[in-house]
mmCIF file with all atom_site columns, all heavy atoms in Angstrom:
data_model
loop_
_atom_site.group_PDB
_atom_site.id
_atom_site.type_symbol
_atom_site.label_atom_id
_atom_site.label_alt_id
_atom_site.label_comp_id
_atom_site.label_asym_id
_atom_site.label_entity_id
_atom_site.label_seq_id
_atom_site.pdbx_PDB_ins_code
_atom_site.Cartn_x
_atom_site.Cartn_y
_atom_site.Cartn_z
_atom_site.occupancy
_atom_site.B_iso_or_equiv
_atom_site.pdbx_formal_charge
_atom_site.auth_seq_id
_atom_site.auth_comp_id
_atom_site.auth_asym_id
_atom_site.auth_atom_id
_atom_site.pdbx_PDB_model_num
ATOM 1  N N   . GLY A 1 140 ? -55.499 -133.311 141.922 1.00 94.00 ? 140 GLY A N   1
ATOM 2  C CA  . GLY A 1 140 ? -55.613 -132.125 142.783 1.00 94.00 ? 140 GLY A CA  1
ATOM 3  C C   . GLY A 1 140 ? -56.990 -131.483 142.758 1.00 94.00 ? 140 GLY A C   1
ATOM 4  O O   . GLY A 1 140 ? -57.117 -130.333 143.173 1.00 94.00 ? 140 GLY A O   1
ATOM 5  N N   . LEU A 1 141 ? -57.999 -132.199 142.311 1.00 94.00 ? 141 LEU A N   1
ATOM 6  C CA  . LEU A 1 141 ? -59.342 -131.634 142.236 1.00 94.00 ? 141 LEU A CA  1
ATOM 7  C C   . LEU A 1 141 ? -60.014 -131.672 143.607 1.00 94.00 ? 141 LEU A C   1
ATOM 8  O O   . LEU A 1 141 ? -60.104 -132.725 144.243 1.00 94.00 ? 141 LEU A O   1
ATOM 9  C CB  . LEU A 1 141 ? -60.147 -132.510 141.243 1.00 94.00 ? 141 LEU A CB  1
ATOM 10 C CG  . LEU A 1 141 ? -61.557 -132.096 140.843 1.00 94.00 ? 141 LEU A CG  1
ATOM 11 C CD1 . LEU A 1 141 ? -61.488 -130.744 140.132 1.00 94.00 ? 141 LEU A CD1 1
ATOM 12 C CD2 . LEU A 1 141 ? -62.150 -133.127 139.945 1.00 94.00 ? 141 LEU A CD2 1
ATOM 13 N N   . SER A 1 142 ? -60.424 -130.531 144.103 1.00 91.00 ? 142 SER A N   1
ATOM 14 C CA  . SER A 1 142 ? -61.073 -130.387 145.412 1.00 91.00 ? 142 SER A CA  1
ATOM 15 C C   . SER A 1 142 ? -60.276 -131.058 146.546 1.00 91.00 ? 142 SER A C   1
ATOM 16 O O   . SER A 1 142 ? -60.863 -131.680 147.425 1.00 91.00 ? 142 SER A O   1
ATOM 17 C CB  . SER A 1 142 ? -62.489 -130.975 145.362 1.00 91.00 ? 142 SER A CB  1
ATOM 18 O OG  . SER A 1 142 ? -63.282 -130.211 144.500 1.00 91.00 ? 142 SER A OG  1
ATOM 19 N N   . GLY A 1 143 ? -58.960 -130.972 146.472 1.00 93.00 ? 143 GLY A N   1
ATOM 20 C CA  . GLY A 1 143 ? -58.121 -131.546 147.501 1.00 93.00 ? 143 GLY A CA  1
ATOM 21 C C   . GLY A 1 143 ? -57.928 -133.047 147.420 1.00 93.00 ? 143 GLY A C   1
ATOM 22 O O   . GLY A 1 143 ? -57.292 -133.636 148.265 1.00 93.00 ? 143 GLY A O   1
ATOM 23 N N   . LEU A 1 144 ? -58.425 -133.679 146.353 1.00 96.00 ? 144 LEU A N   1
ATOM 24 C CA  . LEU A 1 144 ? -58.267 -135.106 146.159 1.00 96.00 ? 144 LEU A CA  1
ATOM 25 C C   . LEU A 1 144 ? -56.971 -135.361 145.389 1.00 96.00 ? 144 LEU A C   1
ATOM 26 O O   . LEU A 1 144 ? -56.598 -134.573 144.515 1.00 96.00 ? 144 LEU A O   1
ATOM 27 C CB  . LEU A 1 144 ? -59.450 -135.690 145.379 1.00 96.00 ? 144 LEU A CB  1
ATOM 28 C CG  . LEU A 1 144 ? -60.819 -135.459 146.004 1.00 96.00 ? 144 LEU A CG  1
ATOM 29 C CD1 . LEU A 1 144 ? -61.912 -135.828 144.998 1.00 96.00 ? 144 LEU A CD1 1
ATOM 30 C CD2 . LEU A 1 144 ? -60.955 -136.279 147.271 1.00 96.00 ? 144 LEU A CD2 1
ATOM 31 N N   . ARG A 1 145 ? -56.315 -136.463 145.665 1.00 97.00 ? 145 ARG A N   1
ATOM 32 C CA  . ARG A 1 145 ? -55.073 -136.789 144.964 1.00 97.00 ? 145 ARG A CA  1
ATOM 33 C C   . ARG A 1 145 ? -55.386 -137.046 143.492 1.00 97.00 ? 145 ARG A C   1
ATOM 34 O O   . ARG A 1 145 ? -54.689 -136.561 142.624 1.00 97.00 ? 145 ARG A O   1
ATOM 35 C CB  . ARG A 1 145 ? -54.403 -137.981 145.614 1.00 97.00 ? 145 ARG A CB  1
ATOM 36 C CG  . ARG A 1 145 ? -53.139 -138.361 144.926 1.00 97.00 ? 145 ARG A CG  1
ATOM 37 C CD  . ARG A 1 145 ? -52.399 -139.458 145.651 1.00 97.00 ? 145 ARG A CD  1
ATOM 38 N NE  . ARG A 1 145 ? -51.215 -139.821 144.888 1.00 97.00 ? 145 ARG A NE  1
ATOM 39 C CZ  . ARG A 1 145 ? -50.626 -140.975 145.032 1.00 97.00 ? 145 ARG A CZ  1
ATOM 40 N NH1 . ARG A 1 145 ? -51.055 -141.863 145.900 1.00 97.00 ? 145 ARG A NH1 1
ATOM 41 N NH2 . ARG A 1 145 ? -49.565 -141.229 144.306 1.00 97.00 ? 145 ARG A NH2 1
ATOM 42 N N   . GLU A 1 146 ? -56.442 -137.900 143.243 1.00 98.00 ? 146 GLU A N   1
ATOM 43 C CA  . GLU A 1 146 ? -56.726 -138.242 141.844 1.00 98.00 ? 146 GLU A CA  1
ATOM 44 C C   . GLU A 1 146 ? -58.193 -138.710 141.746 1.00 98.00 ? 146 GLU A C   1
ATOM 45 O O   . GLU A 1 146 ? -58.683 -139.425 142.598 1.00 98.00 ? 146 GLU A O   1
ATOM 46 C CB  . GLU A 1 146 ? -55.787 -139.329 141.395 1.00 98.00 ? 146 GLU A CB  1
ATOM 47 C CG  . GLU A 1 146 ? -56.031 -139.816 139.971 1.00 98.00 ? 146 GLU A CG  1
ATOM 48 C CD  . GLU A 1 146 ? -55.138 -140.943 139.580 1.00 98.00 ? 146 GLU A CD  1
ATOM 49 O OE1 . GLU A 1 146 ? -53.960 -140.650 139.234 1.00 98.00 ? 146 GLU A OE1 1
ATOM 50 O OE2 . GLU A 1 146 ? -55.556 -142.125 139.628 1.00 98.00 ? 146 GLU A OE2 1
ATOM 51 N N   . VAL A 1 147 ? -58.848 -138.335 140.681 1.00 98.00 ? 147 VAL A N   1
ATOM 52 C CA  . VAL A 1 147 ? -60.131 -138.852 140.276 1.00 98.00 ? 147 VAL A CA  1
ATOM 53 C C   . VAL A 1 147 ? -59.983 -139.428 138.868 1.00 98.00 ? 147 VAL A C   1
ATOM 54 O O   . VAL A 1 147 ? -59.445 -138.722 138.001 1.00 98.00 ? 147 VAL A O   1
ATOM 55 C CB  . VAL A 1 147 ? -61.240 -137.790 140.306 1.00 98.00 ? 147 VAL A CB  1
ATOM 56 C CG1 . VAL A 1 147 ? -62.566 -138.365 139.821 1.00 98.00 ? 147 VAL A CG1 1
ATOM 57 C CG2 . VAL A 1 147 ? -61.388 -137.187 141.695 1.00 98.00 ? 147 VAL A CG2 1
ATOM 58 N N   . ARG A 1 148 ? -60.444 -140.658 138.665 1.00 98.00 ? 148 ARG A N   1
ATOM 59 C CA  . ARG A 1 148 ? -60.266 -141.321 137.423 1.00 98.00 ? 148 ARG A CA  1
ATOM 60 C C   . ARG A 1 148 ? -61.599 -141.887 136.933 1.00 98.00 ? 148 ARG A C   1
ATOM 61 O O   . ARG A 1 148 ? -62.229 -142.666 137.702 1.00 98.00 ? 148 ARG A O   1
ATOM 62 C CB  . ARG A 1 148 ? -59.215 -142.444 137.566 1.00 98.00 ? 148 ARG A CB  1
ATOM 63 C CG  . ARG A 1 148 ? -58.814 -143.146 136.344 1.00 98.00 ? 148 ARG A CG  1
ATOM 64 C CD  . ARG A 1 148 ? -57.714 -144.176 136.675 1.00 98.00 ? 148 ARG A CD  1
ATOM 65 N NE  . ARG A 1 148 ? -56.520 -143.545 137.178 1.00 98.00 ? 148 ARG A NE  1
ATOM 66 C CZ  . ARG A 1 148 ? -55.364 -143.520 136.532 1.00 98.00 ? 148 ARG A CZ  1
ATOM 67 N NH1 . ARG A 1 148 ? -55.229 -144.118 135.390 1.00 98.00 ? 148 ARG A NH1 1
ATOM 68 N NH2 . ARG A 1 148 ? -54.315 -142.895 137.061 1.00 98.00 ? 148 ARG A NH2 1
ATOM 69 N N   . ALA A 1 149 ? -62.006 -141.541 135.720 1.00 97.00 ? 149 ALA A N   1
ATOM 70 C CA  . ALA A 1 149 ? -63.222 -142.150 135.147 1.00 97.00 ? 149 ALA A CA  1
ATOM 71 C C   . ALA A 1 149 ? -62.726 -143.158 134.106 1.00 97.00 ? 149 ALA A C   1
ATOM 72 O O   . ALA A 1 149 ? -61.914 -142.843 133.249 1.00 97.00 ? 149 ALA A O   1
ATOM 73 C CB  . ALA A 1 149 ? -64.048 -141.054 134.475 1.00 97.00 ? 149 ALA A CB  1
ATOM 74 N N   . VAL A 1 150 ? -63.251 -144.387 134.178 1.00 97.00 ? 150 VAL A N   1
ATOM 75 C CA  . VAL A 1 150 ? -62.822 -145.462 133.283 1.00 97.00 ? 150 VAL A CA  1
ATOM 76 C C   . VAL A 1 150 ? -63.988 -145.762 132.354 1.00 97.00 ? 150 VAL A C   1
ATOM 77 O O   . VAL A 1 150 ? -65.112 -145.949 132.800 1.00 97.00 ? 150 VAL A O   1
ATOM 78 C CB  . VAL A 1 150 ? -62.411 -146.731 134.079 1.00 97.00 ? 150 VAL A CB  1
ATOM 79 C CG1 . VAL A 1 150 ? -62.021 -147.816 133.127 1.00 97.00 ? 150 VAL A CG1 1
ATOM 80 C CG2 . VAL A 1 150 ? -61.298 -146.391 135.071 1.00 97.00 ? 150 VAL A CG2 1
ATOM 81 N N   . SER A 1 151 ? -63.697 -145.807 131.066 1.00 96.00 ? 151 SER A N   1
ATOM 82 C CA  . SER A 1 151 ? -64.725 -146.005 130.042 1.00 96.00 ? 151 SER A CA  1
ATOM 83 C C   . SER A 1 151 ? -65.071 -147.481 129.838 1.00 96.00 ? 151 SER A C   1
ATOM 84 O O   . SER A 1 151 ? -64.197 -148.357 129.977 1.00 96.00 ? 151 SER A O   1
ATOM 85 C CB  . SER A 1 151 ? -64.264 -145.437 128.690 1.00 96.00 ? 151 SER A CB  1
ATOM 86 O OG  . SER A 1 151 ? -65.157 -145.769 127.669 1.00 96.00 ? 151 SER A OG  1
#
Side-chain angles (χ1 to χ4, degrees):
L141 187 63
S142 295
L144 302 169
R145 180 174 177 202
E146 178 182 281
V147 176
R148 186 177 296 247
V150 180
S151 174

